[in-house]
Amino acid sequence: MASIVPPSPSTVINNTTQKKIDEKVDYLDLPCPIPYEEIHREAFMSLKPELFEGLRFDFTKGLNQKFSLSHSVMMGPTEIPSQSPEIIKIPTSQYEFGANFIDPKLMLIGRVMTDGRLNARVKCDLTENLTLKANAQLTNEPHMSHGMVNFDYKGKDYRTQFQLGNGALLGASYIQSVTPHFSLGGEVFWAGQHRKSGVGYAARYNTDKMVATGQVASTGMVALSYVQKVSEKVSLGSDFMYNYLTRDVTASFGYDYILRQCRLRGKIDSNGTVAALLEERLNMGLNFILSAEIDHMKNDYKFGFGLTVGE
């Protein structure tokens, strides 16, 4: 009989009051947001897979726990600029040698290629809250070498970043947690060499099941993205890109499916492009990669496969 007797009004009121107390937000103890430049990272995982064309082989050999060497061979066609609507490709091949040093507080990565390009990346934790990031590229082509240094400060419930690059490039960004799930941020930059400046604003809302972001900048860019976590292994994402100065619009939808031995990512966009990337784990330290992209508007097809050896 007691199980079918409805709860008294006082019990319902007490449960509701207790729930409101549990949901009360402590605005002095908000989580630290992700960096401003990474607010779309969940959408990029599904919508921006690392596609390639031709053959790719990567080999990484660890010399000790912190230092490793890598070798990469790439063979495939390369597009060259052309005035005609037809896409012109020429066969190319390239070898890349790399060295990596990874420590909990210091990361050094270097790459040198047969075409003369040299890439370098540095990440160093100066303190528990301050991180230095630097990247540079040196090349034989005129005006193509560049470098940039970032200082990233992580506060209790905010992040701020200062950027300094060649060509008198200056930039700064700030993002603040407003609630446990909602954060707001802004950025400003000045390109002294080109005499251009701009400002931007962004908002991000995330829970355990979804992430929604919005970004607008004075350069004309408007970017919206949404990612829904269907399960622990499946995520669906979409984005909308609009430039109100050039009137260019692009919308895309993608997926990220993680299986026990492989990972499948793909997308389709409003420009008629369909792409997919499959990463299959054949054995410990041996992965097979299959890439495909079809541009129906330009009648362009790109297919690639590769092997990755080493961790």
Side-chain angles (χ1 to χ4, degrees):
M1 292 295 293
S3 60
I4 62 175
V5 175
S8 62
S10 59
T11 303
V12 176
I13 294 175
N14 291 336
N15 292 337
T16 304
T17 304
Q18 183 64 35
K19 184 177 180 181
K20 290 182 178 180
I21 294 175
D22 295 339
E23 294 178 352
K24 187 177 180 180
V25 178
D26 184 3
Y27 290 98
L28 298 179
D29 189 24
L30 296 176
C32 182
I34 67 173
Y36 185 91
E37 60 184 4
E38 299 180 12
I39 59 173
H40 297 285
R41 66 182 181 185
E42 289 85 1
F44 283 168
M45 294 298 293
S46 301
L47 304 174
K48 307 291 182 182
E50 189 179 352
L51 303 171
F52 62 96
E53 185 176 12
L55 171 65
R56 173 178 167 184
F57 177 77
D58 299 314
F59 175 75
T60 302
K61 174 64 175 179
L63 302 182
N64 53 46
Q65 293 182 351
K66 297 182 179 181
F67 190 71
S68 63
L69 300 177
S70 64
H71 306 269
S72 299
V73 177
M74 290 157 282
M75 293 184 290
T78 301
E79 295 183 14
I80 60 175
S82 174
Q83 299 293 335
S84 64
E86 295 184 2
I87 297 177
I88 301 177
K89 298 181 180 181
I90 58 174
T92 59
S93 61
Q94 184 173 288
Y95 167 75
E96 176 184 285
F97 173 76
N100 311 306
F101 178 83
I102 300 178
D103 186 75
K105 292 187 177 182
L106 177 64
M107 181 179 69
L108 304 174
I109 297 177
R111 297 287 186 271
V112 59
M113 283 153 277
T114 52
D115 59 3
R117 285 183 296 167
L118 174 65
N119 297 324
R121 290 174 52 200
V122 178
K123 181 181 178 182
C124 178
D125 293 335
L126 303 178
T127 66
E128 293 184 358
N129 297 327
L130 181 61
T131 301
L132 167 67
K133 300 178 182 178
N135 63 81
Q137 182 183 55
L138 302 178
T139 178
N140 297 326
E141 300 179 17
H143 310 295
M144 295 301 294
S145 299
H146 63 84
M148 180 171 291
V149 178
N150 298 343
F151 291 94
D152 190 353
Y153 183 81
K154 178 181 178 181
K156 184 178 180 181
D157 57 0
Y158 68 92
R159 281 181 183 264
T160 183
Q161 187 180 75
F162 177 75
Q163 300 176 344
L164 175 63
N166 65 321
L169 176 62
L170 299 174
S173 63
Y174 178 86
I175 186 168
Q176 171 75 55
S177 291
V178 181
T179 70
H181 302 290
F182 185 63
S183 56
L184 295 173
E187 66 174 344
V188 59
F189 73 89
W190 163 254
Q193 183 176 0
H194 302 286
R195 300 292 179 179
K196 293 183 179 180
S197 62
V199 296
Y201 307 94
R204 173 184 168 95
Y205 183 83
N206 64 284
T207 64
D208 296 336
K209 293 294 185 180
M210 55 80 67
V211 177
T213 59
Q215 190 175 10
V216 61
S218 59
T219 55
M221 180 196 69
V222 177
L224 305 174
S225 66
Y226 178 82
V227 176
Q228 179 69 45
K229 192 173 183 179
V230 180
S231 66
E232 291 293 331
K233 298 182 178 181
V234 181
S235 297
L236 302 177
S238 62
D239 71 349
F240 175 82
M241 307 290 292
Y242 173 63
N243 191 310
Y244 57 81
L245 298 180
T246 61
R247 305 298 181 182
D248 293 332
V249 181
T250 303
S252 58
F253 170 80
Y255 57 88
D256 188 355
Y257 194 12
I258 301 177
L259 297 173
R260 188 173 63 90
Q261 289 290 111
C262 73
R263 182 175 186 178
L264 179 62
R265 288 178 286 173
K267 72 163 188 174
I268 180 172
D269 62 29
S270 57
N271 293 326
T273 302
V274 182
L277 179 67
L278 172 67
E279 299 170 274
E280 176 78 21
R281 188 182 185 92
L282 302 178
N283 205 338
M284 183 67 67
L286 180 61
N287 298 329
F288 174 72
I289 306 174
L290 186 63
S291 172
E293 182 179 14
I294 302 176
D295 191 333
H296 294 282
M297 296 295 183
K298 298 180 180 180
N299 198 26
D300 184 25
Y301 308 92
K302 298 178 182 179
F303 298 96
F305 65 95
L307 283 175
T308 300
V309 181
E311 295 294 339

